[in-house]
Amino acid sequence: MPLTRLSVTAVRNIDTVTLHPSPRINLLTGLNGSGKTSLLEAIHLLGLARSFRSTRLQPVIQHEKPACTVFAEVSCLRRQSRSLGVTRSRDGEYLIRIDGQTIRSAAELAEILPLQLINPDSFRLLEGSPKQRRQFMDWGVFHVEHQFLQVWQRFQKSLKQRNSLLRRGRIPRSALDPWEVELVAVAEKIDSYRQAYLARLKPVFEAALARLVDLDGLTLSYYRGWDRERALQSILDAQFERDMQLGYTQAGPQRADLRLRLNGQNAVDVLSRGQMKLVVCALKIAQARLLEQNDRLADCVFLVDDLPSELDARHRGALCTLLEELGCQVFITGVEAEQLASSWREETPLAMFHVEHGHIVQTG
């Protein structure tokens, strides 16, 4: 579902700009600090109502402006077009509109505009906390399993209630029963969704990785968050006293993780920064391929910030080939135009933009 028109107002140093991107490859060049990443950040705001650069809203909104706004028209497979708009204000309020209607949940944005981000911090998917890898898994499950969001919300509610009761101190074991029945039931559904998704993702990931880098012996495995040989209810029973001391639930889908190992060692301990970035690229391309195969209404939009970072010309070319084969819309930033423009086939629709002091001009 490519963006056909994109308008950005007051996102960092971008005052007001309107673009008509290519449905395929869009290259943004300019000096560091010119506003290239800010445009990717604006698209991210449009798809998720939040920034990928800051957890705080204040730096995202242009200085002395009360709010920032991103609006886009997107083409659809089965209808003429859709319109998306997001406004974030300094007081924390936000307004999301889809086809002129105000909505409450950013999940609807994410469903219409699935985004994949590759940037210089991508290696943190491997180095970072299990939470980041759970979010990666759940992004994929959300886009291929229609019931996942509702089940995940039920799990979060039951987990919150169980933890709240645990923090009260000494309580009878039976006080947890009503919430544990729900927690265990939805936990098993979440686990089954994740397992099914990872079973599909793994061979696609391995095929993409082989196109990018030779890492024989790299394995991807899934830890569900509790002992695979035991039922979750029996673990909750056995750990009740310890859970009450800690004030939270130790076992469950909230503790799940993806584990990557190379010849038996933790992959992050032996891979270079560039290799880790390529592994993450393969994971995200694999997710995009599964979304494409799932016959959903929307294809991924890739945001690739600073493509040359930690990737030599050969690996950049291999990544660009995979992105080209996906047939999705891609926005890529870099300092030098030649580095970005040399990796695509002549027949691939390509637009080039020059960014300077927040002003964006199409140059090709």
Side-chain angles (χ1 to χ4, degrees), residues 123-260:
F123 66 90
R124 290 181 180 169
L125 178 62
L126 306 186
E127 278 193 343
S129 69
K131 180 180 179 180
Q132 291 174 273
R133 291 181 289 279
R134 284 194 299 274
Q135 290 174 337
F136 168 83
M137 278 192 291
D138 291 344
W139 183 97
V141 181
F142 167 78
H143 283 289
V144 302
E145 175 51 63
H146 293 278
Q147 299 299 317
F148 175 73
L149 180 60
Q150 180 184 18
V151 173
W152 185 86
Q153 290 171 336
R154 287 170 56 194
F155 173 74
Q156 292 297 319
K157 180 178 179 179
S158 59
L159 179 66
K160 180 179 179 181
Q161 293 295 333
R162 186 178 193 270
N163 288 344
S164 177
L165 290 169
L166 290 170
R167 287 192 291 269
R168 291 185 182 182
R170 302 303 304 183
I171 58 172
R173 179 71 182 88
S174 60
L176 299 178
D177 289 349
W179 293 109
E180 281 188 3
V181 170
E182 171 77 348
L183 185 148
V184 169
V186 293
E188 291 173 350
K189 287 186 178 181
I190 290 173
D191 177 49
S192 68
Y193 292 153
R194 287 173 172 170
Q195 287 199 53
Y197 179 74
L198 266 296
R200 292 180 59 199
L201 181 76
K202 187 175 178 180
V204 183
F205 159 67
E206 290 171 348
L209 184 65
R211 300 272 302 276
L212 291 174
V213 62
D214 182 10
L215 286 176
D216 285 341
L218 185 76
T219 60
L220 174 67
S221 62
Y222 165 63
Y223 169 64
R224 67 178 183 172
W226 69 96
D227 188 342
R228 64 181 180 181
E229 304 297 332
R230 298 174 62 191
L232 180 56
Q233 184 62 66
S234 69
I235 294 175
L236 295 178
D237 291 338
Q239 294 182 346
F240 168 65
E241 292 292 340
R242 181 60 175 161
D243 284 356
M244 193 160 56
Q245 290 175 7
L246 295 172
Y248 63 87
T249 305
Q250 300 174 80
Q254 79 281 5
R255 309 286 285 186
D257 198 2
L258 277 179
R259 294 172 175 173
L260 287 103

Side-chain angles (χ1 to χ4, degrees), residues 79-95:
R79 54 186 295 177
Q80 188 171 7
S81 66
R82 304 197 71 174
S83 63
L84 308 178
V86 174
T87 297
R88 296 298 308 261
S89 58
R90 288 191 179 277
D91 60 8
E93 294 297 316
Y94 66 88
L95 176 66

